[in-house]
Amino acid sequence: MMDWRQILIELMSQSDRVQTSIYFPKDIHEALVRWAEEEDRPISNLVVRIVSKAVEEREKQQNPQQ
C-alpha cells in the first residue's frame, strides 16, 4: 500500500499544471485578495481563471474563423 507521500508524488506527476512565480504590485495584489475573498476562492484559482479567459479571448481574436 502506498503512503501519502507516494500518493502525492503520483498525483503531482499526473497533473497537467505547472507552477510559476508571479510578482504583483502591492495594490494589484490587494485588489486580487479582495476579489478572491468575495468569490470565496484562493487567489491562485482566481488568477488562473482570469488568465485563462484572457488567453481564450486572444486566441479568438487571432483566429476569428474558428
Side-chain angles (χ1 to χ4, degrees), residues 20-24 47 51:
T20 189
S21 296
I22 302 173
Y23 297 90
F24 294 105
V47 171
V51 172

Side-chain angles (χ1 to χ4, degrees), residues 4 7 15 45:
W4 68 270
I7 293 170
S15 177
N45 181 272

Side-chain angles (χ1 to χ4, degrees), residues 14-38:
Q14 293 177 359
S15 177
D16 63 344
R17 296 178 179 253
V18 295
Q19 184 175 349
T20 189
S21 296
I22 302 173
Y23 297 90
F24 294 105
K26 189 171 184 160
D27 60 331
I28 299 299
H29 181 263
E30 290 170 355
L32 288 170
V33 168
R34 288 191 302 273
W35 187 353
E37 287 174 351
E38 288 171 8

Side-chain angles (χ1 to χ4, degrees), residues 18-66:
V18 295
Q19 184 175 349
T20 189
S21 296
I22 302 173
Y23 297 90
F24 294 105
K26 189 171 184 160
D27 60 331
I28 299 299
H29 181 263
E30 290 170 355
L32 288 170
V33 168
R34 288 191 302 273
W35 187 353
E37 287 174 351
E38 288 171 8
E39 295 191 7
D40 194 28
R41 66 171 72 224
I43 295 173
S44 60
N45 181 272
L46 175 66
V47 171
V48 168
R49 185 175 62 94
I50 293 168
V51 172
S52 295
K53 285 186 173 187
V55 168
E56 184 179 307
E57 287 299 315
R58 185 171 194 272
E59 289 176 351
K60 283 181 186 177
Q61 290 174 358
Q62 289 183 333
N63 304 305
Q65 66 272 22
Q66 292 181 354

